[in-house]
Amino acid sequence: IVYMSKWGMPGGRSVSALMIKYWVYQMILGIYALIAFFVEQNFIKGYSPILFWAAIIGFIITVGVPLLLYLLSIKDGFLTNLFLKIIQLLKKIKIIKKDEKFSVRFISYVEDYSNSVRLVKQNKGMLVAPIIITIIQLPFYLGIPYLIYRGYGLKGAGLWNFVFMNIFLYFAASFFPTPGGTGVSEGAFYILFKLFFPKDALVVALLLWRIVSYYLLVASGGLVILLDSLRKIKRSPKIT
């Protein structure tokens, strides 16, 4: 949002752009997840019931809550009134003491969300490109363990076996509120993908997957911000 604002995009538009990207990503991921649950549910449920139910709950939270909020926000003013009543209830039971600043900030977020919904309703065609890109993007991202698997020269399992397994991993990790799924993702990877990797290659495969799928993205983002900051320092007038 900060960078889009610097590029001249109004704050409301930048929030809407991110919300639309988020909705599209969750919607397509949800469709892939439904296919994965249909294809692999019996196997995963028998192999690791805890992981299976964690993935189901993670799916409901990750996909169901944004969908519910979207449906509720279609009616103008409904979400704002709903959250105001929740704030009043929290104040009455003394969970929050001063509700003025909290209410203003919360209503601002709700209005940004509602504006995003209105933008989508008025410009449905703008969803076509993000949907197509996300449909193509997700198998590549979720298929990273498969590329590592093939890099070891291993055969026997296909790309979609890894994609579906990784979907269970993603939603199981999202059930546990740790930053970036740290710890949980690695544990779930070890449990699920030991079915495909030999024991002596599993830990290295786990490290490679985590580096490529998470830490490389974080490092790339940090590098972009660093280079941008250095560029601004170079361009800023020197004080003599």
Side-chain angles (χ1 to χ4, degrees), residues 31-169:
I31 292 170
Y32 277 123
L34 290 173
I35 297 170
F37 290 155
F38 178 77
V39 174
E40 300 285 359
Q41 64 169 324
N42 291 331
F43 172 76
I44 297 292
K45 194 174 181 180
Y47 177 69
S48 179
I50 294 174
L51 204 60
F52 174 81
W53 288 111
I56 292 294
I57 297 169
F59 173 82
I60 293 169
I61 295 169
T62 308
V63 177
V65 172
L67 178 61
L68 178 62
L69 287 174
Y70 174 80
L71 294 173
L72 291 175
S73 61
I74 291 175
K75 186 177 179 181
D76 290 338
F78 182 84
L79 272 183
T80 302
N81 293 330
L82 176 63
F83 283 118
L84 282 174
K85 288 178 181 177
I86 292 172
I87 291 167
Q88 289 300 318
L89 176 63
L90 293 175
K91 186 180 177 182
K92 187 178 289 186
I93 59 178
K94 297 183 180 179
I95 291 179
I96 58 174
K97 294 181 180 179
K98 295 181 179 179
D99 66 327
E100 291 80 8
K101 290 183 179 179
F102 187 80
S103 298
V104 170
R105 190 181 304 169
F106 217 84
I107 289 170
S108 175
Y109 292 146
V110 172
E111 285 178 352
D112 284 338
Y113 195 91
S114 298
N115 289 336
S116 301
V117 172
R118 281 193 289 270
L119 186 63
V120 170
K121 286 169 65 179
Q122 294 166 4
N123 304 276
K124 292 185 177 67
M126 69 190 301
L127 296 177
V128 174
I131 287 173
I132 293 172
I133 291 169
T134 307
I135 288 171
I136 298 169
Q137 171 199 358
L138 278 173
F140 282 96
Y141 177 71
L142 296 169
I144 290 171
Y146 177 73
L147 299 178
I148 298 169
Y149 173 80
R150 296 294 290 129
Y152 271 109
L154 299 170
K155 297 179 181 179
L159 170 64
W160 290 104
N161 295 116
F162 281 83
V163 169
F164 291 155
M165 286 292 182
N166 212 355
I167 287 172
F168 276 97
L169 187 158

